[in-house]
Amino acid sequence: MQLNKILKLQPILFAIYFVIFLYNENLDELIFADLLLPFAVIIPIVLLFSIVIGLIIKNDTKSILSSSFFTILFFVYIPLHNVLYEFQIGRHVILLLIFFICSLIVIFFFIKSKKNFDKLLQISYVIVLVLIIFNISEISFYSNISSITMNENLIQSFSINKQDYRDVYHIILDEHAGTDALQQYYNYNNSKFDNSLRNMGFFIPEKSLSNYLSTYLAIPSILNMDYIEQEFDPQEKESNILVDKMVRNNVVTKIFEENGYQIIYSYNEYNLKPTNNSAHELCNTSIGSTQFMTFILDNTPIFIVQSLIEQGNYSPFVQNRLCVFNELPFLDEEFLGPIFVHAHVLLPHYPFIFSSDGSINPYQTQMTRDEFDSLYLSQLMYTDSLVLELVEKLLAKEPQPIILIQSDHVDRQEETDNSNGYSFSNFAAYYFPNVELKTNDYPLLTPVNSFRILFNNNFGTNYDLLENKMYVIEDNKFKDVTTTLISNNTFNKID
Ligand SMILES: [Zn+2]
């Protein structure tokens, strides 16, 4: 009797397996808590479903197996559809009909059958348990993966008086193209934004290029003030997890901590946290959890219904993005002592929530390149207006803070073939209250050096500047494209 009750859990175990499987597949972007919502929604539904099936099919073994059968079908339908789509037979109308008829036939003969299915139940029970255990052990393996050791040699003590420590704001505008790239790709002149910042005292380098073309390489490189040495394969889960660890245990945060700073950072759905201490996290609107739930549902037939009726929802994104700009001006009042604020804002990065005047766009997931460009540009304009407003508030403070605004890369990875360099043209602006940076000293700046420059100019450290290099990934290996880029006309000013 007791065993029978345990066996009844089988459909739930299958549901748990599929959720854990999808979690495992996206481990680098998810946190453990993201599992809770899917479990809280899916387990009760499967349970209720099994009870209903149990009322229809009186035989216990048969009712458990039928419930499991439908649970599996629910989770494999979309992946199967996607595979079949390549063979032109994956249209939902046809496939759903085939599935429906086949399941009816299977269930009909199954119920009518005089055979004893206890063995099948036991075997499938063992299979689902093994699958769950396998996935859990893989998750725990990757979670405990050894981190690349931080370069402790880079940790220097500040040599200025403690009372002269200023607050430091590091604002990453994800995918904000540099003024050159905006002109080249979007035919848009953004020099007004640059000039507004210059008038407020910002230094904007003549040429600013990114070192890498993706967030997952740029951010760890910026925060570790160095190039990424290890082999990197964007398809490999292990690479992505190592990168995540490089961000969590990074040199820049460590330097600030060692010198008595408090670390504050803002949340976004990439979950790239610059510290293991989540005490001072801002703006966590749990986009990750909602996104994971949506991702799971997008992998089930609910997706078909959903895409017909529901239009999606930008509100957690709107809240998250605006929260950063609303909170930043007040942090110095909230925290005693010097603060280092790392605000990685997914703007003007996709999804395109805002139009240029700040109104919220209708929900949209599919767009042409032209639509993408125009939505991107619109969101960039609004982002710039938010930045100017924020900077004005920060500069009104006494003493004035140090501000570094930069983008990680440009959204033009497909353009790297022509190597004209614009795909590396990113945005960077430095505000050092007591120091005037000169174009002659930094004719070209790349993010790998930004914190070396920031520390040297404001805190009396003596970091060597690294040679500026740009990398693309080819055949899962870094390819240095610096010479090609710099020998090109576009960047003939740079030696
Ligand atoms: Zn990015």
Side-chain angles (χ1 to χ4, degrees), residues 48-61:
L48 200 72
F49 178 74
S50 314
I51 293 171
V52 173
I53 295 285
L55 293 175
I56 301 169
I57 306 172
K58 296 283 181 246
N59 178 313
D60 265 358
T61 307

Side-chain angles (χ1 to χ4, degrees), residues 45-222:
I45 293 175
V46 176
L47 184 68
L48 200 72
F49 178 74
S50 314
I51 293 171
V52 173
I53 295 285
L55 293 175
I56 301 169
I57 306 172
K58 296 283 181 246
N59 178 313
D60 265 358
T61 307
K62 283 183 179 177
S63 91
I64 297 168
L65 282 171
S66 305
S67 305
S68 294
F69 174 72
F70 285 116
T71 307
I72 296 170
L73 215 57
F74 180 72
F75 283 102
V76 300
Y77 174 78
I78 294 288
L80 201 70
H81 162 263
N82 294 343
V83 172
L84 291 176
Y85 200 75
E86 297 184 7
F87 302 100
Q88 306 292 326
I89 46 169
R91 301 229 355 243
H92 285 303
V93 193
I94 304 168
L95 202 63
L96 271 176
L97 200 70
I98 297 173
F99 262 65
F100 186 70
I101 294 169
C102 290
S103 341
L104 278 188
I105 296 170
V106 169
I107 294 294
F108 179 77
F109 282 104
F110 182 61
I111 296 171
K112 287 277 167 234
S113 172
K114 295 268 182 297
K115 271 194 191 161
N116 183 328
F117 286 97
D118 289 352
K119 264 257 141 30
L120 178 64
L121 179 60
Q122 284 159 14
I123 293 168
S124 54
Y125 207 92
V126 172
I127 291 174
V128 70
L129 283 179
V130 168
L131 287 172
I132 290 177
I133 292 166
F134 174 78
N135 270 276
I136 291 180
S137 29
E138 206 184 39
I139 290 168
S140 72
F141 168 76
Y142 281 115
S143 311
N144 293 317
I145 215 165
S146 64
S147 175
I148 299 168
T149 42
M150 183 198 304
N151 186 356
E152 305 266 352
N153 296 333
L154 285 176
I155 296 165
Q156 296 186 9
S157 295
F158 297 162
S159 63
I160 58 165
N161 287 330
K162 235 188 161 98
Q163 61 266 30
D164 294 332
Y165 286 7
R166 290 167 189 263
D167 293 341
V168 179
Y169 293 85
H170 180 216
I171 299 162
I172 294 184
L173 303 176
D174 206 302
E175 231 163 75
H176 193 300
T179 310
D180 288 344
L182 286 169
Q183 189 68 60
Q184 168 78 12
Y185 295 127
Y186 302 87
N187 195 20
Y188 177 71
N189 182 353
N190 203 28
S191 52
K192 221 174 120 191
F193 176 59
D194 289 8
N195 289 335
S196 306
L197 287 171
R198 282 200 182 101
N199 290 339
M200 287 194 251
F202 274 80
F203 169 73
I204 297 180
E206 188 95 333
K207 289 288 170 210
S208 174
L209 298 181
S210 54
N211 307 104
Y212 301 97
L213 294 170
S214 90
T215 314
Y216 290 99
L217 296 171
I219 309 273
S221 162
I222 291 172

Side-chain angles (χ1 to χ4, degrees), residues 174-175 214-216 270 344 346 349 408-409:
D174 206 302
E175 231 163 75
S214 90
T215 314
Y216 290 99
Y270 278 14
H344 175 191
L346 286 187
H349 190 281
D408 49 350
H409 58 89

